[in-house]
Structure formats: structure tokens, C-alpha cells
Amino acid sequence: MGNCVFSSYHETTSQVSTAKVVVHDGRMQEFSYPVKVSYLLQLYPACFICDSDEMGFDDVVTAVHEDEELRPGQLYFALPLSRLKRHLPPQEMAALAVVATSALAKCGRR
């Protein structure tokens, strides 16, 4: 847990916008360069990648297509395949929010 990769900085010291991926176990990775979902599926073969903007209370969780690139500034989750196309009850949504908040805080402290 607490694993994260840090973004680089512009010469003007403004932070580069990164795509962040939170794994269901609390680890987080940041990517300041283009990364396809297919790469993440190789890293996490028992998972699918979902866009946090596409997740809602009691909605069905869908996967981002493997050919898509992660968007800078966006938060994604790597979730177990057992959650794919299943409803996300409010208590599970809240648990994911806690995991994401914790992962973001850990990376921010370093």
C-alpha cells in the first residue's frame, strides 16, 4: 500500500497534470505521460479500469476500453473483475472514496 509514482515538474515549477490510478487495495500510480488502459491491464490482470467520472451511486460500473489513453487530471480505479457491470451500492462507493482519499493523501505527503 502507499505505492505511488510522482509527476515531473515544468521548468517554471508548475506541476504537470497527471492521470491517477487508484488500485482497490489502496496503491496509487500517477502518469505524466500517455498511457493506454491496455498497459494497466497487463499490470493488473485481475482488474478492469474505470473512470471515476463515470461512477455513480447505484450505477453499473463499466470499464474504460483498453485502447483508450488515460486523460491527464483524471482519477481512475483499477477494480476487481468481479465488480464489472455490477451495481455500485452507496457503501461501496463510500469505501472507494476513502481508499482514493487515503492514496491521494499519502502521495501528497511525499
Side-chain angles (χ1 to χ4, degrees):
M1 282 180 97
N3 216 11
C4 59
V5 180
F6 297 97
S7 62
S8 59
Y9 289 87
H10 286 298
E11 289 178 23
T12 61
T13 68
S14 64
Q15 189 171 1
V16 173
S17 183
T18 60
K20 295 171 179 62
V21 179
V22 178
V23 183
H24 62 91
D25 64 4
R27 291 177 288 143
M28 186 177 79
Q29 286 191 282
E30 289 186 70
F31 299 93
S32 60
Y33 50 88
V35 173
K36 283 196 174 189
V37 170
S38 58
Y39 171 75
L40 295 172
L41 296 177
Q42 291 174 6
L43 295 177
Y44 309 111
C47 293
F48 68 98
I49 307 303
C50 61
D51 185 331
S52 66
D53 283 350
E54 302 298 320
M55 299 169 73
F57 289 108
D58 237 4
D59 278 351
V60 173
V61 182
T62 58
V64 176
H65 193 274
E66 65 183 31
D67 290 332
E68 286 190 44
E69 282 189 358
L70 302 182
R71 295 186 324 268
Q74 187 59 35
L75 178 66
Y76 297 89
F77 286 93
L79 298 177
L81 288 170
S82 61
R83 291 189 177 177
L84 183 59
K85 296 185 180 177
R86 303 235 186 254
H87 284 278
L88 188 63
Q91 63 271 23
E92 286 186 31
M93 183 77 157
L96 286 174
V98 169
V99 169
T101 300
S102 176
L104 289 166
K106 287 176 186 175
C107 284
R109 286 193 300 256
R110 294 181 182 193

